[in-house]
C-alpha cells in the first residue's frame, strides 16, 4: 500500500476543563462520594481517544462500534439486570437508555501496514492525539511480520500507553516478550467457552468460573504457550472447563452461583500492580495446566506496563460482559493517565476528532469521521435530472382465482422464450418471509439494459458498460470508478414523490433489477480475482413497468413509472400515454385470465405459449463435468483445514463448478420445473437475450449451523460498523442473513441513522460478497479461496435482486442456481469449511447441494423443444 501523506499538525488547544485537578479528584472518587454539589452530580470522566490498529480482520469494526460507545459518555452506574435490558447478551446495548450527556467517541482505524513508526510516534507522543491503543484480531501469526505489521513495534516502544490486544493482538503481546505461539489443542471458531479469571481489573465486575455466566466467543487456532511466559507477563484468564458451548446454549447463563470480582463502587485503581496473582492466591495458568490439561490461556497482562491481551473476542454479539471489558479498559486508561503526565497533556479538549487526525491518515476514503456530538455528518444528496412519478392499480384477491403467479408470468411475459424478462419469485412463502413476487419485461420509454464487464481482475480497474434502450439504441462507455459507483450515481440522480407509493406494502416500485457477479468483489474489499468470468460481471434492467404479487392475500398490483421532467421537452404527453396504456392493457389481460382460468396451463404443464415438448428417442449421452475430481476437492478441503489451523482464517467457503452442454434447451421450461421441485423464498428468473444468458435461481433460506450463523452475524455487524454512525450498530442475535435486505433494514432502524443517510449501494459495498460465501476474516479468506478455486464463480455466490428508484433494495445470495450461457449450463456448489469439518463429508455435502439443479437440467435435456419450427432440435441426456 502506498505511503500516506501526513497533514499539517493541528493547532495547540487549551486544556480541557475535565483535566483540572479538582475534576481529576472528582473522577477518581467513588460514585456518590460528593464533588457534585448544587444538585449537578459528579462531573463525568473525560472521553478517551483510541488508536485502533486493524490487522485486516473482519471483526475490527465491531470493536470500532463498541469503543465508539464506551469511549464517550458515562455508562449507567450499575450493570442492568436481564429483566431490564432490551437484549440478553450482558452488554449495554444501543437500546438501553443512556444518560443525557452520552456521546460516542469513535476511534481512528489504521491498518497495520499504513503507518510507519514515525507516524505512530508523531500522533501518539508529539501530537498526543490518543490515550490508548487497541490491536485487533486478524489472520495469521504474530511471528509473521506481514500479518502483524506495526503492532509489534507499538507493543515494544509504547510502554507508557495503555494497550489492549485482542486475539492476534493478544498473541503479539506474548510474542514480543518471548512467549511461544503454538497451535491450540483444538481450533475453535464461532463457539463459546466459560472463563475463569484472577480478578484483574480488566475483568472488574465480571463473574468467574463454571456456571458463572461469563461465556466468551472464540475464533482462533493459535495460542500462547503458558509455560513459555516470561516474568514480564502474568496470566489473568483461562478456560474454566473443556466443554464448548454453541451460540444458542450461551443464551441463558446461570448466574446463581457466580463469583463477582471487584465492584463498580470502587473503580479507582491506585496501583497498577493490583492484579498480582500471588497476593490473591489465585492459581497461575502454569499451575492450572499441570493439573487440568483442558485449561487454555485466555488472557495476559504485563507486570509493569498497562498492556493487556485477551484471546477471545469481547466484541462478538454472543460474548457475555464484552462491553464491560472495554469499559474496564477505558477506566484503566483514565486512571493510568491520572498517575502520569501523559493523559493530562493530551490535546483532546474538543470532541471533534477531525481536528486531530485528517482523513488521509485513515485506511480508506470511505471511512468518514463523524462529529462526536450531534447528527451524522454525511454529505447531502444532490438534486438529480429526473423526477419519476408512479401510477399503480390493485386487483384484490386475484392470485388464487388464476392458479398461481407462474400463470401470470407465462401470460404476460412468457412469449418469445421470455426474452429480456425478470421474475423475483417467492416460490416458497414460509414464516412470512419473501411475501412478494416481482415480474416484468421489456417495458416503456424508460426501460434499458445495462451490461458491465470489468476491465481487468484487480481492484479499482474500472470496466466497460453497454447500455441498450427500449428502441434498440446502444451506447458504450468506460466506467473509471466501476459499476457500483455508476449505479449509486444513477440512483442519486432520481427525484421522487413519496405520496406516489403510499399504501403499497412492498419495497420495489420500479427501478434497477438484475444481478451482481461474484467478481465485483474487487469493487468492495477484495484486491483481485483469480480468473475472468465468461458472463458479464453485472447486468441490470431499468424496469419502468412491473407486476407485483402478494402471496399472503392474493392481491396483484400493476405499476408503471414515467419521467415528469420529460414533459418539458415535448414528449411528456407521449410518455404519459404510453405508461397509462400499458396499465390499462395489462389489467385487461389479467382480468381475461380470470375468465379463462379453467383453460390455463397451470404449474408448468406440457404447453407454454404453444411450444411443445416430447421425450427424445435418440439422444447423445452427456454428463455434468465437475471442475475438481473427488480427490482434488478433498485435497482442497484439507488445505482449507490447514489454513484454519494455522490461524489464516476462521472459516472458508470452498466451492467448485460443474458444467455441461445444453444446446437448444428451453430456459423458462427449466426454471418452471426448478421452482416446482425446489421452491425457495429467494428464487429468481432473469433473461438477457443480447447476452444469450438465462439465470434460474432457487436460493433457499439459511441452513447454517449455529457456529457458522454466529460468524455471519459478527461479520454483518462488522460490515455495518464500517458505514454506520459510530456507536449505532446493534444487531439481533438471531437473524436471517441470506438476504441483503437484512443489512438495509437494520441500517434504517439503527439509532441516529436515517435511511437517507446511507445509500443501498453503500450497504452493498460494505457487505458484498455475502460472508456466508467467503469466510472470515473476509479479505484473507477471499485470497485463499482464489488460490484454491481454479475457475471463476461468475454469477454464483453473487446476488440477484433490485434497487428501487426510491432507494430501497433487496438482494439474495445466489446459490442452488443454474446459469445458461451460450449453450452451456453451469452450477456452483460448495460448503463452509470450519475446524470441525470432515473432508469426505464436505465433498458429499457439495454433491447434495448440487443435486436439485442438476436433476432438473438432466430432466429437461431429455426433451425436444419445437418452437413452431419444422426442424426438430434435441438436447442430450446424462
Amino acid at each position: 500500500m502506498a505511503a500516506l501523506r501526513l497533514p499539517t499538525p493541528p493547532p495547540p488547544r487549551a486544556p480541557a476543563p475535565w483535566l483540572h485537578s479538582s475534576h481529576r479528584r472528582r473522577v477518581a472518587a467513588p460514585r456518590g462520594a460528593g464533588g457534585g454539589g448544587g444538585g449537578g452530580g459528579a462531573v463525568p470522566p473525560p472521553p478517551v481517544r483510541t488508536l485502533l490498529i486493524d490487522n485486516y480482520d473482519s471483526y475490527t469494526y465491531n470493536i470500532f462500534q463498541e469503543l465508539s460507545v464506551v469511549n464517550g459518555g458515562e455508562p449507567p452506574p450499575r450493570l442492568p439486570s436481564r429483566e431490564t435490558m432490551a437484549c440478553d447478551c450482558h452488554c449495554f446495548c444501543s437500546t438501553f437508555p443512556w444518560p443525557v450527556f452520552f456521546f460516542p467517541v469513535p476511534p481512528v482505524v489504521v491498518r497495520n501496514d499504513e503507518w510507519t513508526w514515525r507516524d505512530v510516534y508523531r500522533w501518539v507522543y508529539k501530537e498526543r492525539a490518543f490515550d490508548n491503543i487497541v490491536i485487533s484480531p486478524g489472520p495469521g501469526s504474530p511471528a509473521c511480520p506481514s500479518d502483524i505489521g506495526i503492532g509489534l513495534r507499538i507493543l515494544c516502544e509504547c510502554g507508557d500507553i495503555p494497550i489492549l490486544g485482542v486475539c492476534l493482538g493478544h498473541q503479539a503481546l506474548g510474542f514480543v516478550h518471548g512467549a511461544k505461539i503454538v497451535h491450540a489443542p483444538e481450533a475453535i471458531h464461532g463457539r463459546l467457552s466459560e472463563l475463569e479469571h484472577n480478578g484483574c481489573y480488566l475483568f472488574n465486575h465480571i463473574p468467574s468460573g463454571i456456571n458463572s455466566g461469563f461465556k466468551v466467543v472464540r475464533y482462533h487456532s493459535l495460542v500462547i504457550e503458558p509455560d513459555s511466559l516470561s516474568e514480564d507477563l502474568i496470566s489473568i484468564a483461562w478456560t474454566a472447563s473443556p466443554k464448548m458451548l454453541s451460540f444458542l446454549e450461551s443464551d441463558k447463563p446461570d448466574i446463581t452461583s457466580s463469583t463477582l470480582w471487584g465492584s463498580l463502587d470502587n473503580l479507582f485503581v491506585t496501583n497498577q500492580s493490583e492484579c498480582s496473582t500471588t497476593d490473591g492466591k489465585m492459581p497461575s495458568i502454569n499451575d492450572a495446566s499441570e493439573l487440568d490439561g483442558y485449561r487454555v490461556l485466555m488472557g495476559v497482562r504485563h507486570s509493569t506496563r498497562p498492556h493487556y491481551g485477551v484471546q477471545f473476542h469481547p466484541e462478538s454479539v454472543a460474548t457475555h460482559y464484552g462491553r464491560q471489558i472495554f469499559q474496564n479498559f477505558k477506566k484503566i486508561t483514565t486512571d493510568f493517565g491520572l498517575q502520569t503526565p501523559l493523559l493530562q497533556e493530551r490535546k483532546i479538549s474538543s470532541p471533534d476528532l477531525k481536528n486531530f487526525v485528517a482523513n488521509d491518515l485513515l485506511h480508506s476514503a470511505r471511512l468518514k469521521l463523524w462529529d462526536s456530538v450531534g447528527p451524522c455528518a454525511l454529505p447531502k444528496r444532490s438534486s438529480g435530472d429526473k423526477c419519476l412519478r408512479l401510477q399503480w392499480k390493485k386487483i384484490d384477491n386475484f392470485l388464487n382465482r388464476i392458479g398461481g403467479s407462474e400463470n401470470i408470468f407465462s401470460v404476460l411475459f412468457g412469449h418469445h422464450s421470455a426474452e429480456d424478462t425478470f421474475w423475483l419469485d417467492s416460490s416458497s412463502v414460509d414464516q412470512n418471509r419473501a411475501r412478494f413476487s416481482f415480474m416484468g419485461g421489456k417495458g416503456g420509454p424508460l426501460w434499458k439494459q445495462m451490461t458491465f464487464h470489468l476491465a481487468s481482475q484487480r481492484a479499482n480497474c474500472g470496466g466497460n458498460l453497454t447500455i441498450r434502450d427500449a428502441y434498440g439504441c446502444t451506447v458504450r462507455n468506460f466506467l473509471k470508478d466501476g459499476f457500483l459507483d455508476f449505479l449509486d450515481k444513477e440512483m442519486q440522480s432520481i427525484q421522487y414523490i413519496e405520496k406516489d407509493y403510499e399504501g403499497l406494502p412492498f419495497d420495489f416500485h420500479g427501478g434497477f433489477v438484475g444481478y451482481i457477479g461474484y467478481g465485483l468483489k474487487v469493487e468492495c474489499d477484495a484486491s483481485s480475482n483469480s480468473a475472468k468470468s465468461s458472463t458479464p460481471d453485472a447486468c441490470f434492467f431499468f424496469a419502468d413497468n412491473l407486476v407485483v404479487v402478494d402471496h399472503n392475500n392474493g392481491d396483484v398490483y400493476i405499476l408503471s413509472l414515467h419521467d415528469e421532467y420529460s414533459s418539458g421537452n415535448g414528449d411528456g404527453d407521449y410518455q404519459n400515454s404510453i405508461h397509462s396504456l400499458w396499465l390499462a392493457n395489462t389489467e385487461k389481460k389479467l382480468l381475461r385470465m380470470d375468465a379463462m382460468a379453467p383453460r390455463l396451463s397451470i404449474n408448468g404443464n406440457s404447453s407454454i405459449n404453444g411450444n411443445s415438448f416430447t421425450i427424445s428417442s435418440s439422444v447423445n449421452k452427456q454428463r455434468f463435468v465437475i471442475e475438481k475430481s473427488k480427490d482434488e476437492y478433498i485435497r482442497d478441503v484439507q488445505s482449507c483445514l490447514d489454513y484454519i489451523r494455522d490461524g489464516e482464517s476462521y472459516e472458508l467457503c470452498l466451492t467448485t463448478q460443474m458444467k455441461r452442454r445444453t444446446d437448444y434447451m428451453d430456459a423458462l421450461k427449466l426454471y418452471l420445473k426448478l421452482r416446482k421441485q425446489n421452491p425457495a423464498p429467494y428464487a429468481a428468473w432473469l433473461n438477457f437475450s443480447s447476452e444469450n444468458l438465462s439465470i434460474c435461481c432457487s436460493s433457499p433460506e439459511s441452513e447454517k449451523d449455529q457456529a457458522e450463523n454466529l460468524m455471519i452475524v459478527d461479520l454483518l455487524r462488522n460490515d455495518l460498523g464500517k458505514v454506520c454512525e459510530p456507536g449505532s450498530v446493534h444487531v439481533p442475535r438471531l437473524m436471517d442473513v441470506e438476504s441483503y435486505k437484512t443489512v438495509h433494514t437494520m441500517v434504517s432502524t439503527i439509532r441516529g441513522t436515517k435511511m437517507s443517510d446511507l445509500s443501498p449501494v453503500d450497504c452493498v459495498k460494505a457487505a458484498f460478497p455475502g460472508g456466508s460465501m467467503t469466510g472470515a476474516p473476509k479479505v484473507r479468506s477471499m485470497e485463499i479461496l482464489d488460490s484454491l478455486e481454479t475457475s471463476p464463480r461468475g454469477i454464483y455466490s453473487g446476488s440477484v435482486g433490485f434497487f428501487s428508484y426510491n432507494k430501497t433494495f433487496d438482494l439474495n445470495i445466489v446459490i442452488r442456481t443454474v446459469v445458461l450461457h451460450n449453450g452451456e449450463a453451469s452450477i456452483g456448489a460448495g460448503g463452509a469449511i470450519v475446524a470441525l469439518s470432515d473432508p469426505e463429508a464436505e465433498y458429499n455435502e457439495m454433491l447434495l447441494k448440487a443435486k436439485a439443479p442438476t436433476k432438473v437440467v438432466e430432466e429437461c435435456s431429455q426433451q425436444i423443444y419445437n418452437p413452431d419450427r419444422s426442424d426438430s432440435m434435441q438436447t442430450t441426456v446424462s
Side-chain angles (χ1 to χ4, degrees):
M1 193 170 294
L4 296 173
R5 179 180 58 83
L6 295 178
T8 303
R13 295 185 175 273
W18 51 65
L19 295 183
H20 294 168
S21 59
S22 61
H23 291 163
R24 290 201 300 272
R25 287 194 298 271
R26 211 171 290 170
V27 171
R31 280 184 173 81
V43 175
V48 168
R49 309 294 181 180
T50 296
L51 173 61
L52 177 54
I53 302 298
D54 176 21
N55 291 307
Y56 288 85
D57 193 61
S58 289
Y59 301 145
T60 298
Y61 280 87
N62 292 337
I63 298 176
F64 171 89
Q65 289 288 335
E66 288 294 307
L67 292 175
S68 296
V69 173
V70 169
N71 287 353
E74 177 118 328
R78 289 285 185 180
L79 190 69
S81 65
R82 290 173 60 85
E83 289 76 14
T84 61
M85 295 173 66
C87 71
D88 56 3
C89 55
H90 284 268
C91 70
F92 296 116
C93 70
S94 62
T95 56
F96 192 79
W98 291 94
V100 294
F101 51 81
F102 168 78
F103 56 87
V105 178
V108 170
V109 183
V110 176
R111 283 182 170 164
N112 64 18
D113 57 356
E114 284 188 294
W115 278 12
T116 64
W117 170 246
R118 178 177 296 181
D119 299 324
V120 174
Y121 182 82
R122 174 187 175 184
W123 289 103
V124 173
Y125 287 100
K126 288 187 175 181
E127 303 298 335
R128 303 199 184 281
F130 302 106
D131 307 307
N132 64 24
I133 299 172
V134 174
I135 302 177
S136 84
S141 165
C144 179
S146 62
D147 290 341
I148 193 65
I150 195 65
L152 295 183
R153 184 76 182 269
I154 289 174
L155 286 165
C156 290
E157 303 284 355
C158 298
D160 55 350
I161 303 296
I163 298 176
L164 175 64
V166 179
C167 201
L168 180 64
H170 156 87
Q171 296 166 10
L173 176 59
F175 182 75
V176 298
H177 293 289
K180 295 180 180 179
I181 308 301
V182 297
H183 286 112
E186 178 186 7
I188 304 296
H189 298 109
R191 291 186 289 164
L192 295 92
S193 293
E194 295 179 299
L195 293 197
E196 182 179 351
H197 60 78
N198 69 345
C200 170
Y201 193 81
L202 190 66
F203 301 110
N204 189 51
H205 205 75
I206 296 175
S208 175
I210 298 175
N211 295 326
S212 69
F214 185 27
K215 304 171 185 179
V216 301
V217 175
R218 297 167 59 187
Y219 294 106
H220 67 100
S221 302
L222 306 178
V223 294
I224 297 175
E225 187 179 69
D227 292 337
S228 68
L229 289 180
S230 68
E231 293 181 356
D232 291 329
L233 296 179
I234 299 171
S235 59
I236 60 175
W238 47 90
T239 53
S241 76
K243 180 182 179 182
M244 300 302 303
L245 304 175
S246 70
F247 187 13
L248 294 182
E249 286 175 323
S250 73
D251 221 25
K252 296 180 178 180
D254 178 11
I255 60 173
T256 58
S257 60
S258 64
T259 302
L260 291 175
W261 290 89
S263 169
L264 285 177
D265 289 327
N266 187 19
L267 286 174
F268 183 56
V269 182
T270 59
N271 185 350
Q272 279 303 123
S273 62
E274 35 70 11
C275 302
S276 173
T277 58
T278 55
D279 294 337
K281 301 187 183 302
M282 294 293 297
S284 69
I285 191 68
N286 294 333
D287 295 333
S289 63
E290 294 173 359
L291 298 175
D292 305 292
Y294 62 80
R295 290 198 169 190
V296 179
L297 184 63
M298 287 284 110
V300 297
R301 73 169 182 88
H302 196 276
S303 59
T304 59
R305 296 179 173 186
H307 293 182
Y308 298 79
V310 291
Q311 180 64 73
F312 57 91
H313 283 242
E315 81 285 355
S316 172
V317 69
T319 290
H320 294 232
Y321 299 98
R323 184 166 291 180
Q324 185 66 49
I325 291 173
F326 288 118
Q327 289 171 342
N328 292 340
F329 181 60
K330 175 189 177 182
K331 192 64 172 63
I332 289 170
T333 299
T334 56
D335 289 342
F336 181 81
L338 293 177
Q339 299 173 26
T340 67
L342 278 176
L343 182 63
Q344 301 174 34
E345 297 175 5
R346 295 264 182 244
K347 298 174 183 177
I348 58 169
S349 59
S350 169
D352 187 353
L353 195 60
K354 290 178 287 187
N355 291 321
F356 294 96
V357 182
N359 282 339
D360 59 357
L361 285 179
L362 302 178
H363 77 265
S364 170
R366 74 169 181 271
L367 176 60
K368 304 174 179 68
L369 287 176
W370 292 268
D371 189 334
S372 299
V373 181
C376 184
L378 291 173
K380 294 182 180 179
R381 303 303 185 190
S382 59
S383 297
D385 56 1
K386 295 186 288 291
C387 182
L388 299 188
R389 302 301 304 272
L390 176 68
Q391 285 189 320
W392 55 275
K393 293 184 177 181
K394 175 184 175 184
I395 306 176
D396 294 326
N397 195 25
F398 180 75
L399 185 64
N400 295 331
R401 306 202 302 263
I402 50 86
S405 58
E406 63 272 21
N407 287 329
I408 296 178
F409 183 84
S410 295
V411 168
L412 295 181
F413 307 110
H415 50 281
H416 302 300
S417 300
E419 290 184 353
D420 299 322
T421 59
F422 68 89
W423 183 6
L424 305 182
D425 176 21
S426 299
S427 57
S428 172
V429 183
D430 57 348
Q431 300 176 357
N432 293 320
R433 300 169 60 240
R435 169 182 167 185
F436 302 97
S437 291
F438 307 90
M439 59 184 70
K442 194 171 182 178
L446 299 180
W447 183 95
K448 59 184 176 182
Q449 178 184 326
M450 295 147 285
T451 305
F452 178 77
H453 293 268
L454 288 165
S456 69
Q457 303 308 306
R458 67 181 189 278
N460 304 316
C461 64
N464 299 296
L465 179 72
T466 301
I467 299 178
R468 179 168 62 96
D469 68 16
Y471 310 102
C473 297
T474 300
V475 176
R476 293 179 175 84
N477 291 303
F478 179 78
L479 301 180
K480 179 181 177 181
D481 297 323
F483 180 77
L484 293 178
D485 185 77
F486 162 80
L487 182 62
D488 191 46
K489 291 177 181 177
E490 283 281 297
M491 295 186 68
Q492 304 312 325
S493 71
I494 297 173
Q495 296 184 26
Y496 54 90
I497 308 298
E498 292 185 5
K499 68 177 182 180
D500 286 356
Y501 49 86
E502 286 180 356
L504 293 178
F506 43 84
D507 292 329
F508 186 36
H509 308 133
F512 303 91
V513 57
Y515 74 85
I516 299 170
Y518 180 76
L520 225 62
K521 71 185 194 304
V522 296
E523 292 191 12
C524 302
D525 281 334
S527 59
S528 64
N529 292 318
S530 61
K532 178 179 176 59
S533 174
S534 61
T535 54
D537 294 294
C539 210
F540 277 80
F541 300 120
F542 186 90
D544 52 357
N545 297 331
L546 71 152
V547 174
V548 183
V549 176
D550 184 342
H551 293 278
N552 269 15
N553 52 36
D555 295 341
V556 173
Y557 299 80
I558 314 166
L559 294 81
S560 185
L561 286 170
H562 70 280
D563 186 0
E564 190 173 68
Y565 281 1
S566 64
S567 61
N569 57 25
D571 65 351
D573 292 340
Y574 170 73
Q575 287 198 13
N576 291 346
S577 64
I578 288 293
H579 83 85
S580 297
L581 182 63
W582 184 87
L583 284 171
N585 287 340
T586 302
E587 184 180 22
K588 289 180 182 178
K589 290 181 181 179
L590 291 174
L591 295 177
R592 192 178 302 122
M593 288 178 63
D594 194 4
M596 300 174 60
R599 289 178 285 170
L600 287 174
S601 170
I602 297 177
N603 293 327
N605 285 346
S606 61
S607 178
I608 298 179
N609 295 315
N611 298 328
S612 60
F613 297 84
T614 59
I615 301 298
S616 172
S617 59
S618 175
V619 293
N620 295 321
K621 299 273 185 177
Q622 285 193 22
R623 290 184 180 276
F624 272 100
V625 177
I626 304 179
E627 174 193 19
K628 297 287 182 73
S629 68
K630 179 178 180 179
D631 289 342
E632 290 172 329
Y633 191 84
I634 288 177
R635 281 199 300 269
D636 287 345
V637 174
Q638 187 59 55
S639 295
C640 290
L641 291 172
D642 292 340
Y643 280 116
I644 291 170
R645 180 151 180 78
D646 289 338
E648 297 293 332
S649 178
Y650 312 136
E651 171 193 69
L652 291 163
C653 184
L654 180 68
T655 72
T656 189
Q657 296 275 328
M658 49 199 74
K659 299 180 180 181
R660 63 162 292 173
R661 295 299 303 176
T662 55
D663 300 286
Y664 311 120
M665 180 169 290
D666 185 316
L668 181 59
K669 175 70 175 179
L670 186 151
Y671 177 68
L672 292 175
K673 289 180 69 71
L674 180 64
R675 74 185 299 273
K676 183 178 180 180
Q677 295 185 18
N678 193 47
Y682 298 111
W685 155 269
L686 289 170
N687 176 272
F688 301 94
S689 62
S690 62
E691 302 296 325
N692 195 16
L693 173 64
S694 295
I695 301 170
C696 307
C697 174
S698 59
S699 288
E701 61 181 331
S702 176
E703 297 174 349
K704 303 171 181 62
D705 62 30
Q706 293 173 15
E708 188 180 354
N709 260 328
L710 177 55
M711 292 183 195
I712 295 170
V713 171
D714 280 336
L715 277 169
L716 180 56
R717 293 172 65 236
N718 179 80
D719 292 337
L720 287 172
K722 294 179 183 178
V723 295
C724 290
E725 185 177 359
S728 64
V729 174
H730 174 66
V731 176
R733 299 176 62 139
L734 293 174
M735 65 174 63
D736 162 36
V737 291
E738 252 346 302
S739 168
Y740 279 84
K741 183 180 179 182
T742 307
V743 179
H744 200 243
T745 299
M746 287 186 299
V747 169
S748 65
T749 57
I750 285 171
R751 174 174 57 87
T753 301
K754 298 179 180 178
M755 188 175 294
S756 60
D757 292 334
L758 198 64
S759 76
V761 174
D762 289 334
C763 295
V764 172
K765 283 184 176 181
F768 185 83
S772 62
M773 300 308 297
T774 55
K778 185 187 288 188
V779 174
R780 180 68 65 92
S781 297
M782 288 189 291
E783 293 171 352
I784 293 171
L785 293 169
D786 274 356
S787 71
L788 296 174
E789 298 176 2
T790 54
S791 66
R793 295 189 183 185
I795 297 168
Y796 172 68
S797 298
S799 293
V800 168
F802 67 80
F803 294 85
S804 186
Y805 81 98
N806 59 325
K807 298 180 176 61
T808 61
F809 82 110
D810 196 359
L811 298 169
N812 74 359
I813 296 176
V814 177
I815 54 178
R816 315 292 198 278
T817 296
V818 181
V819 176
L820 300 173
H821 184 231
N822 291 334
E824 183 179 65
S826 63
I827 296 170
I833 312 301
V834 296
L836 299 178
S837 294
D838 173 71
E840 183 84 19
E842 291 296 335
Y843 178 77
N844 292 332
E845 179 184 350
M846 180 271 293
L847 293 179
L848 180 63
K849 290 178 177 178
K851 183 177 181 180
T854 55
K855 179 183 177 183
V856 171
V857 173
E858 290 166 353
E859 290 176 354
C860 288
S861 71
Q862 300 178 45
Q863 298 176 330
I864 297 175
Y865 175 42
N866 181 14
D868 300 329
R869 290 179 54 176
S870 58
D871 58 321
S872 295
M873 296 181 292
Q874 65 183 31
T875 58
T876 58
V877 66
S878 59

